[in-house]
Amino acid sequence: MTKPLQNRRVLLVIGGGIAAYKALDLIRRLRERGAQVRPLLTAGAQEFVTPLAAAALAGERAHTDLFDRAEEADIGHIKLARDADAIVVAPATASLMARMATGEASDLAATVLLATTLPILIAPAMNVRMWQHPATRRNLATLRGDGVRVVGPNDGAMAEAEFGPGRLAEPAEIADALEAMLAEASQPEGGFGFLAGRVAAGVLAGRRVLVTSGPTHEPIDPVRYLANRSSGRQGHAIAAAAATAGAHVTLVSGPVAIQDPAGVRVVRVETAREMLAAVEAALPADLAIFAAAVGDWRPVAARDSKIKKDGAEPAPLRLVENPDLLATIARRTEGRPALVVGFAAETDAVLQHARDKIARKGCDWLVANDVSPEGGVMGGTANTVHLLGRDGSVETWPRLDKDEVGRRLVERFAALLPR
Ligand code: CTP
């Protein structure tokens, strides 16, 4: 059987952070999948791992210096920038991202990244505060706009005993994202109707887009609530892609731990009823995408004081159904957005349930995903979606990073909007 990355040539740029040690494992994973890996270490990376270790695992020499006489005669930075199928930057530090975003060619890694036209995948890793700093958010938005793919970072405990987003994506996740990027780069033009991961700037210029995202919290009493595992990643990625495409975007988000996307108006809500009110207030819109995992039920009445155990059976929790935002908006006769898109979170019989749902809700398109726990979709960074049309059409997309799913959806719906 051919391996997924058979004969693919990858230039792996290793940035200088504590996560650099994981880049060594990444080299092994990429080679297991058939790739040829050429390592390039920044000066910072060499504080954490040695060029020798990278070279030994890659079975290729490791590149380190911009002005290396032997190297310039031999391969040179321009050749390094061309002589591969893709570039992976892992870990992508805040500093490396900043240099990429501003086009600063101050060392070999940054020069190669500036000189290349290859598809680039970055796997950021840094302290949570550095990741959340507006400067890094800006650089990230710039890089995304330039067509750079991003995988991770993941949430988790960090080296500095802090917790939050900033951990390097796992080597297997990075390898998956690389596979997806390469698969797409080899699609004949028009395959998915978009170019190398870049949302065509301006395809939604002048359009109003509404996106719901995240979970809802339905209060039980002052200290408890009902919620679900949605991270908001998919909805936020769609909003970010729509903003890059030039739309005026309102993102109505339930409580999430992720950053607001750049260039988007964010309305924060807690409950399903608040979310519905915010959605109605945000209309009119040309395109409305309902990616939130809205709680289907809420306690009949939230108590004003903490409920005490009194041994009563059954437990004192009575639920009523929440309004259905998607169906409410899709069934509007006046002021209905031209395109209404729902999501379906299913754990079994995904397509069958999705077909029922598109009819039941009255939306134009439905993005169905399998959220059974094995897939790691809920709360994770990747997604495998099926796109169903009201006409009965079904497309199954490969497993993709949620950012990429967001970009593809935006491209797709932008093309479908009436002029
Ligand atoms: N949705 C909504 N309002 C709700 C429930 C769901 O707007 N109260 C939207 C979601 O944002 C999503 C779609 O409806 O776009 C489907 O959500 P899903 O949870 O898959 O479906 P449910 O309507 O909850 O149906 P079921 O519980 O039967 O799967």
Side-chain angles (χ1 to χ4, degrees), residues 196-273:
R198 187 185 304 227
V199 177
V203 288
L204 285 175
R207 303 288 199 165
R208 292 174 60 102
V209 174
L210 167 68
V211 183
T212 70
S213 185
T216 58
H217 284 184
E218 306 294 338
I220 296 171
D221 65 21
V223 295
R224 307 182 178 102
Y225 56 81
L226 292 178
N228 59 64
R229 296 187 192 282
S230 167
S231 65
R233 281 206 177 97
Q234 188 60 80
H236 279 53
I238 294 169
T244 304
H248 294 287
V249 184
T250 301
L251 173 66
V252 180
S253 175
V256 294
I258 58 176
Q259 286 280 317
D260 292 350
V264 165
R265 185 171 81 93
V266 182
V267 182
R268 289 185 187 74
V269 298
E270 269 200 23
T271 67
R273 287 186 297 174

Side-chain angles (χ1 to χ4, degrees), residues 212 272 290-296 322-327 341-346 357 360-361 366:
T212 70
F290 293 82
V294 183
D296 288 329
N322 267 328
D324 188 317
L325 284 63
L326 173 61
V341 181
F343 267 70
E346 308 292 351
K357 213 164 264 183
R360 186 151 44 85
K361 306 254 183 178
L366 195 82

Side-chain angles (χ1 to χ4, degrees), residues 37-40 51 54-55 58-64 68 70-71 74-75:
V37 183
R38 174 178 275 167
L40 189 168
E60 289 229 18
R61 84 171 266 210
H63 300 264
T64 52
D68 173 332
E71 203 163 314
D74 170 18
I75 169 153

